[in-house]
Amino acid sequence: MSSNEEVVCPWCQTEIVWDPEIGPEDECPHCFNELNDYRSIDLKVKQTGQKLRFNEQEYAESDEDLSLAWDDSDEPLDKYGEKVQQISDEQEEAPECSSCHEFLLLAGTEVTSGASFTPSIPKTLGSAFLTGPFTTDVYVCPSCFRVEKVLSDTDRLLMVERIKSE
């Protein structure tokens, strides 16, 4: 593979840019998946009615071969990707995954009670800037499945007010 060829990690779907002096990467710098032939399949899907190619070798086209890539309505079978995009479009906010940089999906909210949370008290303030109960928005990455939590809008404002007033 030449260094000017576009390469996308098969695991996290992140484009990999190589440094021409160092050369190709052995593993994805985002998700650390191996990029050599181990655990990787190179599959190129063509338009409806064209022959499928696998590793640049033509195989005999049959209805069974096409059913692997297309359903009866001639739509791609990447329903997961389609649904993920639709869910992401519905969200008011879609932060990026800190690991693979895909947009996160809002999975729900989580309330942390005062009993299960021990606040830190900075010397500068003399009191805690975040106390329980508080709510976090729980996000899940549809690509690497990392779970991330973000303080809810209401509790963000409370935290800002507590820090400003002290």
Side-chain angles (χ1 to χ4, degrees):
M1 232 180 253
S2 64
S3 61
N4 60 0
E5 188 176 332
E6 181 181 317
V7 175
V8 176
C9 174
W11 183 255
C12 69
Q13 303 299 313
T14 304
E15 182 179 357
I16 299 172
V17 180
W18 293 335
D19 184 341
E21 293 178 11
I22 297 173
E25 300 279 348
D26 291 332
E27 63 181 30
C28 175
H30 302 283
C31 70
F32 305 108
N33 183 47
E34 294 178 32
L35 295 175
N36 55 17
D37 290 336
Y38 179 68
R39 293 188 293 173
S40 296
I41 296 174
D42 186 21
L43 178 65
K44 299 189 186 323
V45 178
K46 301 296 181 183
Q47 295 295 327
T48 304
Q50 292 182 342
K51 292 183 179 181
L52 292 176
R53 291 175 176 250
F54 184 79
N55 286 340
E56 299 301 318
Q57 297 174 0
E58 282 192 46
Y59 288 98
E61 184 179 301
S62 69
D63 290 338
E64 185 178 346
D65 291 337
L66 283 177
S67 69
L68 296 174
W70 299 89
D71 63 12
D72 292 335
S73 64
D74 291 334
E75 292 182 21
L77 286 180
D78 187 13
K79 294 290 184 191
Y80 178 75
E82 277 181 33
K83 293 296 183 183
V84 164
Q85 184 63 46
Q86 289 172 355
I87 294 167
S88 182
D89 290 345
E90 292 173 8
Q91 292 180 188
E92 193 172 307
E93 184 178 0
E96 275 190 5
C97 175
S98 61
S99 180
C100 69
H101 307 289
E102 284 288 324
F103 288 121
L104 298 173
L105 301 179
L106 179 61
T109 58
E110 180 177 71
V111 177
T112 303
S113 69
S116 65
F117 178 73
T118 306
S120 175
I121 301 175
K123 291 178 185 176
T124 305
L125 297 178
S127 63
F129 57 85
L130 184 64
T131 59
F134 59 87
T135 304
T136 53
D137 294 328
V138 180
Y139 290 91
V140 178
C141 177
S143 186
C144 70
F145 303 101
R146 176 181 290 270
V147 175
E148 297 188 17
K149 297 179 183 180
V150 178
L151 199 58
S152 69
D153 288 340
T154 305
D155 288 312
R156 287 181 207 177
L157 293 172
L158 283 171
M159 184 181 119
V160 170
E161 289 303 317
R162 284 182 185 140
I163 290 175
K164 284 185 352 186
S165 67
E166 292 297 321

